[in-house]
Amino acid sequence: MHLDYLLFDSTDEPGGSCSFDALASVLPARMPALCEEIAAVLGWAHRSFGAPSAFEDADGWDFHLQGSGEHDEPLQMDYDFARNRVVMPPPRGRVTIALTVSGSPAFASAFSEAFAEP
């Protein structure tokens, strides 16, 4: 799957797990497209590996999503798995989003394949 806003860097963790970190900063007009990418990534993880589980099983995964507004004010945001969408108040000004997705070695391998950069 091609991503325009989320470019992930990976970090190997002790025990074989892996974390993928992305940071994106957009103006309000681009937030819907960025939120669609976040939903695509988290929706893929949920469909492929089940609910986030903080690595409780061999194929576990988890995520951390946070955002801040133009003047570094924190944004209340979350991901609604039932509706496959990011939930947040309408942005005012530039928004910076940080997304970390972590998982088992099996998750990391599948994630790398699904979201490989061209």
Side-chain angles (χ1 to χ4, degrees):
M1 171 181 291
H2 175 74
L3 300 173
D4 290 316
Y5 298 96
L6 298 173
L7 302 174
F8 288 96
D9 289 323
S10 64
T11 305
D12 293 331
E13 305 290 336
S17 62
C18 192
S19 292
F20 299 91
D21 301 298
L23 187 65
S25 183
V26 296
L27 293 172
R30 298 287 182 199
M31 271 309 297
L34 174 55
C35 287
E36 285 178 21
E37 284 193 7
I38 294 167
V41 169
L42 298 179
W44 169 87
H46 188 242
R47 286 188 307 278
S48 301
F49 289 87
S53 64
F55 307 74
E56 292 173 2
D57 57 54
D59 291 330
W61 74 283
D62 205 356
F63 77 99
H64 182 72
L65 176 65
Q66 66 182 40
S68 62
E70 190 165 20
H71 300 289
D72 291 329
E73 72 270 7
L75 293 177
Q76 295 276 340
M77 59 186 323
D78 200 4
Y79 178 71
D80 181 342
F81 283 96
R83 295 183 178 152
N84 190 35
R85 68 183 182 108
V86 175
V87 179
M88 63 179 282
R92 297 180 315 203
R94 181 171 290 279
V95 173
T96 301
I97 303 288
L99 174 62
T100 299
V101 184
S102 304
S104 65
F107 177 86
S109 177
F111 188 94
S112 294
E113 186 175 318
F115 300 104
E117 291 185 40

